[in-house]
Amino acid sequence: MFSLRKRLSPRWTYERLPPPHSDRMTSRTKCTQWTQQWTCLGVVLAATVVLWFATARLRRLPYSPLDNYQDINPLPVTVVAGLDHSPPNRRAVVSSLYSDSFAIAVAVVGYSAKSANVSARLLLPYLEHKVSEKALCIARAVGWEPYPVPLIPPPHNGKDIHPRFMDLYTKLNIWNLDRMDVDSAVFLDVDTLVRRNFDELFDSPFQFAAVPDVYGAGDPRGFSITINTGVMAFRPSSAVYEDMLQEIEVAEYPLLQADQGFLNLYFGGTCMRLPYIYNANLAIKDRSPILWQRLTDEMRVVRYTTMKPFIQEARSSDAVLTPEETEEAVDKNERQADGFYHEEVGWWRTAYRNMMSDRGHVMRQCYQS
Ligand SMILES: *[C@@H]1O[C@H](CO)[C@@H](O)[C@H](O)[C@H]1NC(C)=O
């Protein structure tokens, strides 16, 4: 019992003063003799140098796109002209579909946006050779309008990019939406769920708005000032798109952070930082359950970062999840971490079940195709 407490809180364990004639005193007495003084000094110096190098990693501040800012984005911070409210047919909710395994998840995103009466088109960029007709059929069943986009290869031929992130730069295609007559758009990643209407984002006077990132308990970055790109409110512009394509090759940022690292550099100094309710990252609950509770009733968009209700870890196939597989995944994920995210998984399950009872008859035909 005693040793356990000592291990958990070594800084607060009580240590007695040394008795007057302990060994420690003897060694200190030795150091007062001049022959020993240089040795003692040497030992102290050597220890300091070793400690300095050993803690170098700890003392290094995390990378910050603002401390390392590069002036690569010429856009004004606010939208200069055309602040008149764009009509619903010139607004879009946009996501992405790069693999069949996310078809159900993206359908839930679209269905949840519709259920919250978000007044915008639902536009879904997809990678042509990676997504099947079945997956597109499922997306259409809830109102998405899928359209093919070219893969944007990662910069420097993918050097230092995580294989899982190879497709992510393709996300930048969404800035081309002005070519589809969209003035104002909100991007929602496939691991989001809309809980309330967020129409106000389409009238944002800023070129770009996003929510600051939050890292789970134990990550020293904590409540960061960098932006999370899972939810973005932005003004499409093919001129910006062309500019970005040039800049991804020359901008300097940690390539491991892929598109999010780049967007933090491109917009980090000029973006509007939104409240957490627009990208309520599960990591907030992890760090501060009280804050999470405070935000719950006002959440517009929940983001399943630390855990994804629809992911089946053991699954090797990329195919569209069947309804049985989906329910099974949700059941399993609900029990994860002693059910810490039980309620949040429940929100996703409810949206999924509402979608199936409303649009399931159309979706089931997709499975037969
Ligand atoms: C969405 O609109 C419908 C029809 O006008 C209404 O019945 C429903 O309550 C609205 N839902 C939300 C979440 O506002």
Side-chain angles (χ1 to χ4, degrees):
M1 182 65 200
F2 176 75
S3 66
L4 179 71
R5 275 214 354 231
K6 192 169 174 181
R7 234 180 9 165
L8 287 178
S9 54
R11 274 181 296 154
W12 292 286
T13 45
Y14 173 72
E15 210 170 309
R16 286 189 308 165
L17 283 171
H21 298 293
S22 72
D23 289 351
R24 269 188 224 192
M25 281 304 254
T26 328
S27 61
R28 245 183 67 192
T29 321
K30 269 188 194 165
C31 273
T32 56
Q33 292 164 15
W34 75 269
T35 44
Q36 300 285 343
Q37 271 177 6
W38 289 107
T39 319
C40 284
L41 197 66
V43 167
V44 168
L45 261 171
T48 310
V49 169
V50 166
L51 216 76
W52 180 264
F53 281 104
T55 58
R57 259 185 74 89
L58 293 174
R59 277 181 286 111
R60 199 171 61 206
L61 290 171
Y63 163 82
S64 152
L66 298 184
D67 283 335
N68 295 277
Y69 209 66
Q70 290 139 61
D71 194 10
I72 55 174
N73 171 355
L75 281 173
V77 175
T78 54
V79 178
V80 181
L83 238 189
D84 44 322
H85 298 219
S86 49
N89 64 345
R90 295 188 69 90
R91 300 165 163 190
V93 167
V94 57
S95 189
S96 59
L97 189 56
Y98 303 152
S99 151
D100 274 15
S101 51
F102 293 116
I104 295 296
V106 90
V108 170
V109 174
Y111 185 80
S112 66
K114 279 248 148 129
S115 309
N117 293 340
V118 173
S119 54
R121 296 167 69 187
L122 298 181
L123 294 175
L124 185 63
Y126 69 93
L127 282 172
E128 208 158 11
H129 301 295
K130 296 218 178 173
V131 177
S132 71
E133 189 47 46
K134 183 199 274 187
L136 297 179
C137 174
I138 283 171
R140 281 192 199 100
V142 299
W144 283 111
E145 301 173 47
Y147 69 100
V149 289
L151 176 90
I152 301 178
H156 317 299
N157 297 315
K159 191 177 164 289
D160 292 335
I161 306 255
H162 194 284
R164 209 158 56 87
F165 296 166
M166 281 298 177
D167 294 341
L168 288 181
Y169 286 87
T170 303
K171 193 191 250 185
L172 301 182
N173 274 302
I174 58 179
W175 266 270
N176 274 322
L177 281 173
D178 58 335
R179 298 183 208 227
M180 293 171 77
D181 298 324
V182 174
D183 301 329
S184 182
V186 172
F187 173 84
L188 299 177
D189 224 337
V190 292
D191 54 0
T192 59
L193 178 72
V194 179
R195 300 206 70 216
R196 287 167 68 113
N197 188 288
F198 54 73
D199 277 354
E200 64 273 19
L201 289 185
F202 295 108
D203 293 326
S204 158
F206 300 101
Q207 292 281 357
F208 185 89
V211 175
D213 222 333
V214 184
Y215 296 89
D219 191 318
R221 289 171 295 179
F223 288 95
S224 170
I225 54 111
T226 58
I227 49 163
N228 183 285
T229 53
V231 177
M232 303 182 279
F234 66 102
R235 301 289 172 154
S237 155
S238 34
V240 171
Y241 170 77
E242 300 294 342
D243 184 53
M244 285 176 167
L245 282 200
Q246 306 287 313
E247 300 294 355
I248 55 173
E249 287 293 341
V250 292
E252 286 172 28
Y253 58 95
L255 290 177
L256 270 173
Q257 296 176 9
D259 61 318
Q260 178 158 298
F262 173 70
L263 288 169
N264 263 286
L265 202 54
Y266 204 81
F267 289 112
T270 53
C271 82
M272 164 70 179
R273 284 175 171 75
L274 295 169
Y276 292 119
I277 53 171
Y278 291 99
N279 182 353
N281 182 335
L282 247 52
I284 296 175
K285 184 171 185 178
D286 201 25
R287 291 198 84 88
S288 173
I290 294 175
L291 173 57
W292 185 258
Q293 198 55 48
R294 165 68 182 83
L295 299 172
T296 298
D297 288 343
E298 292 199 66
M299 280 175 193
R300 271 66 167 165
V301 182
V302 187
R303 179 90 189 285
Y304 293 92
T305 46
T306 51
M307 182 274 307
K308 306 196 193 302
F310 49 85
I311 290 278
Q312 260 195 344
E313 288 299 350
R315 202 162 176 268
S316 58
S317 126
D318 249 2
V320 179
L321 286 162
T322 63
E324 296 73 33
E325 284 175 317
T326 307
E327 289 281 356
E328 199 183 304
V330 175
D331 282 345
K332 218 161 147 190
N333 290 317
E334 192 174 44
R335 290 192 301 269
Q336 250 194 55
D338 294 330
F340 185 63
Y341 297 117
H342 182 273
E343 190 183 352
E344 292 76 15
V345 175
W347 299 339
W348 196 91
R349 188 205 303 271
T350 302
Y352 170 73
R353 288 192 177 160
N354 289 344
M355 175 181 84
M356 290 313 277
S357 70
D358 190 7
R359 308 299 301 156
H361 59 289
V362 183
M363 287 186 172
R364 270 185 272 278
Q365 286 170 6
C366 300
Y367 281 102
Q368 279 147 26
S369 68

